[in-house]
């Protein structure tokens, strides 16, 4: 009995009638096709604008508004290109140029193309040695001055 009632109920349930009522009938196909095309075009334009904003070939024209301070100081900064991490040769070249040192956007002129990471490390080490030497020299100088003052010499 129940199967007959279920089958007769399924026959009486006309899907097209209800779809037509909510605006999804066969007559509305053209309308929804046009809506789909409009959405596709809109999202394509937004995608192109987003890509243009991130990778503008002009470099100076993006869609992001920039603050006044950034506009005034823009000539001092350059954008550094990072190699793809899987590319070993490009990574070695990037590190050799000192690319891993500093921030992603740094002042122009800090990283020079003829400097490699070894020279940079050597320069930092030399700077440390100079600082230690200066500290040692001032300490020795102060000791000598105090000894001379203890012996009665007038040293300034």
């Amino acid at each position: 009995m129940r199967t007959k009632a279920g089958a007769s109920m399924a026959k009486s349930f006309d899907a097209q009638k209800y779809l037509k009522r909510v605006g999804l009938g066969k007559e509305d196909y053209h309308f929804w096709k046009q809506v789909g095309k409009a959405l596709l075009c809109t999202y394509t334009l937004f995608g192109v604008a987003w890509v243009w904003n991130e990778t503008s070939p002009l470099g100076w024209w993006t869609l992001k508004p920039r603050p006044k301070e950034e506009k005034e100081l823009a000539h001092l900064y350059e954008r550094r290109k990072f190699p793809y991490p899987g590319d070993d040769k490009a990574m070695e070249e990037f590190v050799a140029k000192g690319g891993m040192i500093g921030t992603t956007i740094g002042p122009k002129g800090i990283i020079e193309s003829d400097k490699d990471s070894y020279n940079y490390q050597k320069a930092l080490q030399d700077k440390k040695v100079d600082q230690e030497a200066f500290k040692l020299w001032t300490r020795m100088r102060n000791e000598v001055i105090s000894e001379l003052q203890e012996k009665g010499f007038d040293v300034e």
Side-chain angles (χ1 to χ4, degrees):
M1 240 19 216
R2 286 190 163 179
T3 56
K4 276 189 171 181
S8 64
M9 188 173 173
K11 285 181 183 176
S12 68
F13 180 75
D14 187 14
Q16 288 297 325
K17 183 172 84 175
Y18 292 104
L19 288 175
K20 186 176 177 184
R21 279 191 181 172
V22 295
L24 297 172
K26 289 187 178 182
E27 312 80 44
D28 301 318
Y29 174 75
H30 180 71
F31 169 74
W32 289 110
K33 183 178 174 184
Q34 295 297 92
V35 168
K37 285 181 188 177
L39 287 172
L40 181 69
C41 291
T42 303
Y43 283 123
T44 302
L45 285 175
F46 280 131
V48 167
W50 178 65
V51 169
W52 179 268
N53 198 23
E54 292 298 316
T55 60
S56 174
L58 301 176
W60 47 265
W61 189 80
T62 59
L63 300 175
K64 296 176 193 167
R66 303 198 184 253
K68 182 180 173 187
E69 298 83 18
E70 190 175 337
K71 286 179 189 173
E72 290 172 354
L73 299 174
H75 66 282
L76 297 175
Y77 293 92
E78 64 184 357
R79 189 176 202 113
R80 216 176 297 160
K81 302 257 183 206
F82 286 96
Y84 184 72
D87 190 1
D88 293 333
K89 184 180 177 190
M91 280 297 288
E92 286 174 12
E93 186 177 312
F94 181 70
V95 171
K97 287 183 177 177
M100 296 302 277
I101 301 162
T103 59
T104 56
I105 300 174
K108 286 184 180 175
I110 282 187
I111 293 184
E112 298 163 6
S113 58
D114 61 338
K115 270 191 176 179
D116 59 355
S117 62
Y118 175 74
N119 286 344
Y120 185 77
Q121 296 294 332
K122 189 175 177 189
L124 285 177
Q125 193 174 8
D126 289 347
K127 189 176 177 183
K128 270 188 176 178
V129 168
D130 288 344
Q131 286 177 345
E132 289 296 321
F134 181 72
K135 283 182 188 176
L136 184 64
W137 181 82
T138 53
R139 193 169 71 209
M140 289 174 59
R141 180 178 166 265
N142 290 339
E143 285 178 13
V144 169
I145 288 175
S146 64
E147 284 180 16
L148 287 173
Q149 286 176 345
E150 285 175 7
K151 291 182 180 178
F153 292 102
D154 185 26
V155 181
E156 289 181 9

